[in-house]
Amino acid sequence: MFTLSLHGRNLRIIESGSGGPAVFWGCGDRESPEAIVRLLDGRNFLLVAYDVGDWNRAFSPWPAPPVFGSEGFSGGGRETLDWLCSDCIPAVEARFGVREKLLCGYSLAGLFSLWAFYETGVFSGAASCSGSLWFPGWQDFMHGRCAPPGSRVYLSLGDREEHTKNRLLRGIGDTTRAQYAALQADPHITRCTLFWESGGHFAEPEKRLARGVGWLLD
């Protein structure tokens, strides 16, 4: 594993095989890039895991009120995206010479990955695994958006995630289905899927991510 610090953010990079696309994964410092690579043994890709300190700030595309407790979302996703495009990607390209770039993320990082995919046109695919598509304003954002030409998107959700007492989170199933329908209607999308996992939000996140990345690599 190769480690690098860029403007206060840490990268953990693992090269599996050679000549594959770079998969950029926004994660917490306790999540394991090695586990993802191990689950995808034999696949050619470069996993670029970038750590963030404040999850709610770094992965929220715009400000939103609290959902759990008193902590809201300050909308620092733009700052994270600027760093990703201006600092992280050029550094990875210069060292590893990658051509194709993909995104993946889990929970709020899954929402961020899908948002970054739409916002930049830099990435040819994204995997949003149990993505926080309940996020206020997401339905308004996704309607009328066009993906980069020739791209692909993987969505997944646990089959128990929409069965919750939280009114906002209860809408995750319908919003994810609506997102999938929007992808199916987008002429720029060559391939998309919505995969239903077993269990709730916290069930085997690394396996869910590995399934999403594996689908993108197929």
Side-chain angles (χ1 to χ4, degrees), residues 25 45 97 102 118 143 153 157:
W25 172 30
F45 69 106
L102 306 168
Y118 276 122
H143 287 305
V153 174
L157 193 67

Side-chain angles (χ1 to χ4, degrees), residues 7 12 27 31-32 84 92 102 123-124 136 143 145 168 173 182 194 196 207-208 217:
H7 298 279
R12 293 172 287 165
C27 63
E31 295 181 282
S32 171
L84 190 62
V92 170
L102 306 168
F123 304 94
S124 56
H143 287 305
R145 295 278 168 170
L168 184 59
L194 169 55
W196 289 93
K207 288 185 178 180
R208 293 186 185 186
L217 296 174

